Structures are given as C-alpha cells and as structure tokens.
C-alpha cells in the first residue's frame, strides 16, 4: 500500500511543479474554436502521470509482480509519451505522430507475442496476419481516440480510474493500482476548475495502455477482448460514432470540430463535472453488464443498446449539426 501512496504523492507533487513551471514560462493551451475551456491553461500534467507510471512499473518488475511480456509492452509507451511531449510543445506534423504510433504499436505487439485469436462468438479468426493487423490498427485507433476524448476537465482521467478499477476487480494485478495512483495524483489538479490539463503526453499514453490491456488479457482468454471493449465503450463508441457521422456529412475529417458527445453536452449547458458524472453512471452500467451477464455476446449487444440510448439522449440535448 505504501508504494501506491508514494506514487500518488509523486504524481500530485510533480503535477503541481509542472503547473507552476508552465505558467512561469507561458506554456499554456490557448482558447480556440475547438476548446471547451475559456481560460488559457497549462497542459503538461500528463508528464506526471507518465513519469510515476513508468517508475511504478519498474518497481513492480523489481518486486516480481508483473509478467515480462506485459511489462515491456507497457514500457513501449515511453516512446509515445516522449513524442507526444514534443508534440504538445511544437505541434509536430501528423506524419511524425503516425510514424511514432506505428512504431509503438509494432513494439507493443512484439513484446506481447502478437495477437492470437479474434473471437466473434459465432466464429473465430486465427489467421496471424489478420489478427495482428487488426491489433496494430486497434492500438493506433485507441491512442488517437483517447486523445480525441480528452477535452474537458477530469473526463480522460476519470475514465482511466474507472478502467483500472474495473480491470483490477475482473483480472487482478498491481499494475492497475499503480495506474490509478499515477492518474489520481494528476486528477486532483484537473478536477472542477482545472489548474492544468493532461496534454497529448498523457492522453496518448493512456490510450496505448488500454489497447495493451485489451490485447494482453484477450491472449489469456478470447472473451476478455470483449470485456475490455465493453468497459471502454463510452470512449470508442463516441469517437467512432462522431467519425462516421462527420464522414457521412461530407466533412473534412482532419478539420477541428466540437461534435463529440462530451462537447455537445457542454454546449447544451452541462458543466464539466456533470458530464463526468454522467459518464461514470454509464460506466457503472457497462461494468454491471460484464459482472452480471455471463454471456459476453449478450452483454456486448446490451452494451451497444445502452450506448445508443446514451447518444440518442445527447442528440436530443444538442443535435449533431
């Protein structure tokens, strides 16, 4: 328990120091047409999450509490964190970001030993070319969609806390507590009237972690893939739905926008804290489906219905224009 307290305090203190440094040197995220905030704010808090997370992983390795395949796959996240750190500062080109994401996805898959089987309940795919290509694009997609969904106070951080708690309750593993402690130390400064934002350095790392957890546990049991898809539903459903709607509307997908579910809720008058609370409620419903519905295919179908109703409610509050 002491190590988790130390990680939390380390993340908390480092976030505070980063906040002050960014303010002193005017390294602030300015308000623009896509912003959900109204005041220029520091945006390097994800550095604290990354630093304490990787230190925590090293401790788990020393203590023999994490398997080598998972450890080294997660440590590949150092690459995406470093690239995203410079992206936060210098706005790197999409090509550079994509190359880095492809590199970290390939490295993560290598250390996991690839992705064995994709189980669609009625049939399974074991062709290693297909399954590993699928896993590669899943990692890249999760990295980007987590970044897309990091736009209001405490939203991305609270999602990571939920996923880590859910992962621990379902699978066990000290790594989940390390991630909770590292994220929670930052979240103290990001909740409510946020003093600092996560930035790409944090959001891309968290998205990568979710992808690695999904594939790692799916290799242990093919049904675990769908457990993680359900747990992560509120993020991937929003990102995928928004992308498809914009595509059907003929919009340029690279153009900045404010059409994600959480953005439309804030436009409808919800505070950031209220949006986070709504997401927590939906997340508890999704976890309940996994916990109480033994047929994972049925749980996934019900989850899709729940997420569709959630999007329908948001469309009612603020239409997708």
């Amino acid at each position: 328990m002491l190590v988790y307290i130390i990680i939390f305090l380390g993340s908390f203190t480092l976030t505070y120091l980063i906040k002050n440094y960014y303010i002193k040197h005017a390294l602030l995220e300015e308000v623009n047409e896509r912003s959900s905030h109204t005041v220029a704010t520091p945006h390097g808090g994800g550095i604290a999450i990354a630093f304490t997370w990787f230190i925590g992983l090293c401790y788990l390795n020393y203590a023999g509490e994490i398997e080598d395949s998972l450890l080294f796959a997660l440590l590949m996240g150092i690459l995406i964190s470093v690239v995203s750190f410079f992206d936060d500062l210098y706005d790197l080109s999409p090509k550079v970001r994509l190359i880095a994401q492809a590199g970290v996805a390939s490295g993560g898959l290598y250390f996991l030993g690839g992705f064995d089987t994709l189980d669609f309940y009625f049939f399974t795919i074991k062709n290693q070319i297909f399954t590993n290509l699928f896993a590669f694009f899943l990692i890249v997609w999760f990295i980007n969609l987590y970044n897309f969904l990091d736009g209001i106070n405490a939203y991305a951080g609270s999602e990571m806390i939920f996923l880590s708690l859910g992962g621990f309750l379902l699978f066990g593993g000290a790594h989940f507590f390390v991630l909770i402690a590292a994220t929670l130390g930052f979240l103290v400064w990001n909740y409510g009237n946020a003093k600092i934002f996560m930035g790409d350095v944090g959001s891309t790392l968290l998205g990568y972690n979710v992808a690695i957890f999904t594939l790692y546990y799916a290799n242990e049991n093919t049904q675990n893939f769908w457990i993680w898809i359900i747990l992560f539903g509120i993020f991937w459903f929003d990102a995928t739905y928004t992308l498809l709607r914009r595509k059907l509307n003929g919009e340029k997908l690279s153009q900045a926008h404010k059409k994600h579910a959480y953005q439309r809720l804030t436009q409808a008058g919800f505070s950031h804290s209220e949006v986070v609370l709504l997401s927590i409620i939906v997340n508890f419903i999704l976890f309940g489906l996994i916990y109480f519905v033994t047929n994972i295919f049925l749980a996934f179908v019900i989850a899709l219905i729940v997420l569709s109703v959630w999007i329908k409610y948001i469309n009612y509050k603020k239409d997708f224009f």
Side-chain angles (χ1 to χ4, degrees):
M1 179 61 69
L2 178 61
V3 67
Y4 306 123
I5 296 174
I6 292 172
I7 291 170
F8 165 77
L9 292 175
S11 178
F12 175 88
T13 304
L14 188 54
T15 303
Y16 172 77
L17 295 175
I18 292 168
K19 173 181 71 70
N20 289 350
Y21 178 86
Y22 272 49
I23 291 173
K24 181 179 179 180
H25 294 273
L27 299 171
L28 307 177
E29 182 172 309
E30 300 295 338
V31 179
N32 56 46
E33 69 280 358
R34 187 178 177 272
S35 301
S36 296
H37 61 284
T38 57
V39 179
T41 307
H43 58 92
I47 299 170
I49 297 175
F51 185 80
T52 52
W53 164 239
F54 292 126
I55 291 295
L57 286 179
C58 292
Y59 167 78
L60 293 182
N61 179 54
Y62 171 78
E65 296 186 36
I66 187 170
E67 291 189 5
D68 287 347
S69 60
L70 179 59
L71 171 69
F72 291 121
L74 291 171
L75 286 177
M76 280 298 301
I78 294 174
L79 173 61
I80 200 66
S81 295
V82 170
V83 172
S84 297
F85 168 74
F86 286 106
D87 186 35
D88 281 334
L89 292 178
Y90 303 113
D91 194 19
L92 302 177
S93 72
K95 183 181 294 186
V96 172
R97 295 198 300 267
L98 186 59
I99 290 172
Q101 292 167 12
V104 76
S106 299
L109 274 174
Y110 171 79
F111 287 116
L112 288 178
F115 182 39
D116 295 334
T117 304
L118 187 57
D119 187 353
F120 285 103
Y121 189 75
F122 296 108
F123 65 94
T124 59
I125 298 175
K126 295 186 177 182
N127 183 294
Q128 294 298 286
I129 295 176
F130 180 89
T131 56
N132 282 291
L133 275 176
F134 175 87
F136 173 86
F137 286 111
L138 179 137
I139 295 173
V140 173
W141 178 227
F142 276 22
I143 290 171
N144 283 284
L145 77 85
Y146 214 105
N147 187 30
F148 297 157
L149 275 292
D150 176 31
I152 61 173
N153 304 343
Y155 195 52
S158 64
E159 178 70 6
M160 195 72 258
I161 298 294
F162 163 74
L163 290 171
S164 298
L165 281 173
F168 177 78
L169 291 173
L170 294 168
F171 305 107
H175 48 278
F176 289 121
F177 273 132
V178 171
L179 192 51
I180 289 170
T183 305
L184 197 58
F186 157 80
L187 198 57
V188 173
W189 297 102
N190 182 242
Y191 186 79
N193 185 19
K195 304 297 189 298
I196 189 170
F197 298 148
M198 185 181 296
D200 291 358
V201 63
S203 60
T204 56
L205 172 64
L206 296 185
Y208 174 73
N209 286 348
V210 177
I212 293 300
F213 292 150
T214 301
L215 299 172
Y216 173 78
Y217 287 103
N219 279 342
E220 290 188 341
N221 185 319
T222 57
Q223 288 196 5
N224 290 342
F225 175 84
W226 298 103
I227 287 177
W228 279 99
I229 293 298
I230 293 171
L231 282 177
F232 197 40
I234 200 168
F235 266 38
W236 71 256
F237 194 88
D238 181 7
T240 306
Y241 172 85
T242 303
L243 182 70
L244 292 176
R245 281 292 301 267
R246 294 185 66 223
K247 180 66 175 177
L248 291 174
N249 288 348
E251 300 177 32
K252 187 177 180 181
L253 298 183
S254 60
Q255 185 176 355
H257 68 93
K258 295 179 67 174
K259 296 187 177 182
H260 286 296
Y262 74 91
Q263 292 169 320
R264 289 187 286 129
L265 280 174
T266 57
Q267 293 164 28
F270 288 76
S271 69
H272 291 198
S273 297
E274 288 171 336
V275 176
V276 170
L277 178 60
L278 282 175
S279 72
I280 290 172
I281 292 171
V282 175
N283 279 334
F284 271 110
I285 294 173
L286 296 177
F287 182 83
L289 289 173
I290 295 168
Y291 199 82
F292 293 108
V293 180
T294 56
N295 186 309
I296 195 63
F297 174 74
L298 178 60
F300 177 70
V301 170
I302 298 174
L304 287 180
I305 294 172
V306 170
L307 292 167
S308 297
V309 171
W310 171 69
I311 285 291
K312 187 77 173 177
Y313 170 76
I314 294 169
N315 288 342
Y316 170 75
K317 289 295 183 179
K318 182 68 176 181
D319 196 15
F320 198 106
F321 51 90

